[in-house]
Amino acid sequence: MKAISPIRMRCLFVFLITTLIAVCCSGCWSRVEIERMSFVSVVGVDRAGEDLLVSFQIVVPRSLAKEGGGGGEPPVFVLSVKERTIPDALAKISQESPRVVRFKQLDAIVLGEDLGKEGAGHVMDFFARHWEMRRSIWVLMAHGSAQEVLLKGAPVQEKVPGSAIKMMMEREDRLAPTHYPIMLGDFINNLSREGVDAIISAVHIRPMQEKKAGVSVEERESEEKKVTAERKEMAFQGAGVFRGDKLVGYLGPHETRGVRSILGKLQGGIYTVPTPSQGIWASLVTDKSSARIKPVVTKDKISFQIEIRDEGYV
């Protein structure tokens, strides 16, 4: 039997030790235990002078437990910081929070009105590049402040606002299609496409309790103060219109519905019209809609004829 040379023996020993270390130390080197994470459900970005006001709506898992819950603890809380950029805001949050902020469960991004009017391109650039951001995250345009939507906008029938937004945007609304759902990937593409004006669903907050009729002025004012002090609900109606990366205005509910119909994004809805012969109102429930666009070119202008066909029942 031929003896192994000392050099080959040394190489074999180094190989075995290296293999043993690799096996014993294998795993996720950058892992973070789930108990040490803070999961962000919604992010709101506003313009605050020369800085950004970034609001993080973070889920409290223990308050969502079915048994042994959080003792009345709110299911989410909001942390807001004012910094020049969103990365700076994240760095500041990491200094104040013992947990690592993660965006793996992010459902929605809310842009403030002032930020939209100034230009939201640099903010959307961060969300487009961050490694945890999915292109399927929903993007909303706030009527007013995004922070106010996160702080005061309570969802109806849902504990977590982000989950409620996701369900609302994903639902095929056949009764009141008056908002314009759009995901992060599509919104960023529309912002950068030449000749395309990006459209984004608008959100605002309103009192959960409607005003009562037949009451005195004093009672109504007292009731309004009480309602104002209470939490409000999020309402999705209309849409914000961008030219380039700047917000130039809002579409109303009926205008938004028309846009969805023209673009083939309408699955149905309700039209309520007066019937002159009977003096009452009638509702047409549609379940199918289609549109045909015909350009009309003349010597000095270009116009379009839009024919919309709806099918349904009275």
Side-chain angles (χ1 to χ4, degrees):
M1 183 175 180
K2 187 177 181 180
I4 302 176
S5 65
I7 296 177
R8 294 185 63 183
M9 182 67 73
R10 189 178 298 112
C11 292
L12 180 61
F13 178 76
V14 172
F15 172 77
L16 292 175
I17 293 297
T18 304
T19 303
L20 181 62
I21 293 174
V23 172
C24 295
C25 298
S26 62
C28 298
W29 64 270
S30 61
R31 72 174 185 178
V32 179
E33 299 296 336
I34 192 170
E35 294 82 2
R36 298 179 179 272
M37 297 181 186
S38 289
F39 293 102
V40 181
S41 177
V42 184
V43 173
V45 187
D46 291 293
R47 170 57 66 187
E50 296 183 354
D51 297 327
L52 296 176
L53 178 63
V54 187
S55 302
F56 302 90
Q57 191 175 79
I58 300 174
V59 178
V60 183
R62 59 178 176 270
S63 68
L64 302 177
K66 294 182 180 180
E67 298 180 1
E73 185 178 8
V76 295
F77 67 94
V78 177
L79 290 177
S80 298
V81 294
K82 186 186 295 184
E83 287 292 339
R84 188 172 297 275
T85 65
I86 298 182
D88 289 339
L90 281 172
K92 189 171 184 179
I93 284 289
S94 65
Q95 296 174 357
E96 299 177 354
S97 173
R99 298 174 181 263
V100 180
V101 177
R102 306 305 292 264
F103 296 101
K104 292 181 178 293
Q105 304 298 323
L106 184 66
D107 291 315
I109 301 166
V110 182
L111 305 177
E113 186 172 348
D114 289 341
L115 173 68
K117 291 180 178 179
E118 182 190 83
H122 62 290
V123 171
M124 300 312 301
D125 183 72
F126 165 81
F127 292 111
R129 296 175 184 273
H130 194 279
W131 65 277
E132 282 188 318
M133 297 297 170
R134 309 180 312 277
R135 295 178 68 85
S136 59
I137 297 171
W138 298 100
V139 187
L140 304 171
M141 188 73 235
H143 275 284
S145 169
Q147 184 191 43
E148 187 178 15
V149 173
L150 269 63
L151 287 173
K152 300 181 180 180
V156 178
Q157 299 180 347
E158 292 294 327
K159 291 184 178 181
V160 181
S163 299
I165 294 174
K166 182 179 179 181
M167 293 172 63
M168 187 69 182
M169 296 295 108
E170 291 179 346
R171 186 182 69 186
E172 292 185 1
D173 200 339
R174 296 180 178 272
L175 296 180
T178 57
H179 62 283
Y180 194 91
I182 192 168
M183 295 181 179
L184 175 62
D186 295 332
F187 181 61
I188 292 176
N189 289 339
N190 291 341
L191 287 179
S192 58
R193 290 175 59 188
E194 186 176 356
V196 175
D197 294 334
I199 302 176
I200 177 175
S201 183
V203 59
H204 64 279
I205 57 175
R206 64 185 181 191
M208 287 188 175
Q209 182 179 353
E210 296 183 355
K211 296 180 180 180
K212 297 181 179 179
V215 296
S216 63
V217 176
E218 292 78 10
E219 292 176 338
R220 184 176 295 123
E221 291 178 352
S222 176
E223 188 70 21
E224 288 178 355
K225 291 181 180 179
K226 181 181 178 180
V227 170
T228 303
E230 297 175 351
R231 295 195 70 188
K232 301 178 181 180
E233 66 178 359
M234 292 183 293
F236 305 93
Q237 283 189 342
V241 181
F242 282 75
R243 182 156 297 169
D245 70 336
K246 295 184 179 181
L247 176 71
V248 294
Y250 291 94
L251 298 177
H254 297 293
E255 294 170 325
T256 304
R257 178 175 180 164
V259 171
R260 291 184 60 174
S261 179
I262 294 172
L263 297 179
K265 298 179 180 293
L266 191 66
Q267 300 297 327
I270 297 178
Y271 293 95
T272 302
V273 295
T275 56
S277 60
Q278 300 181 18
I280 60 175
W281 289 81
S283 293
L284 173 66
V285 181
T286 62
D287 53 13
K288 187 182 296 185
S289 179
S290 61
R292 187 173 66 177
I293 305 175
K294 179 181 178 181
V296 179
V297 181
T298 60
K299 184 177 180 180
D300 56 349
K301 66 177 181 179
I302 300 176
S303 59
F304 297 89
Q305 291 182 353
I306 302 175
E307 178 182 340
I308 299 176
R309 180 183 179 87
D310 286 314
E311 297 180 13
Y313 58 90
V314 176

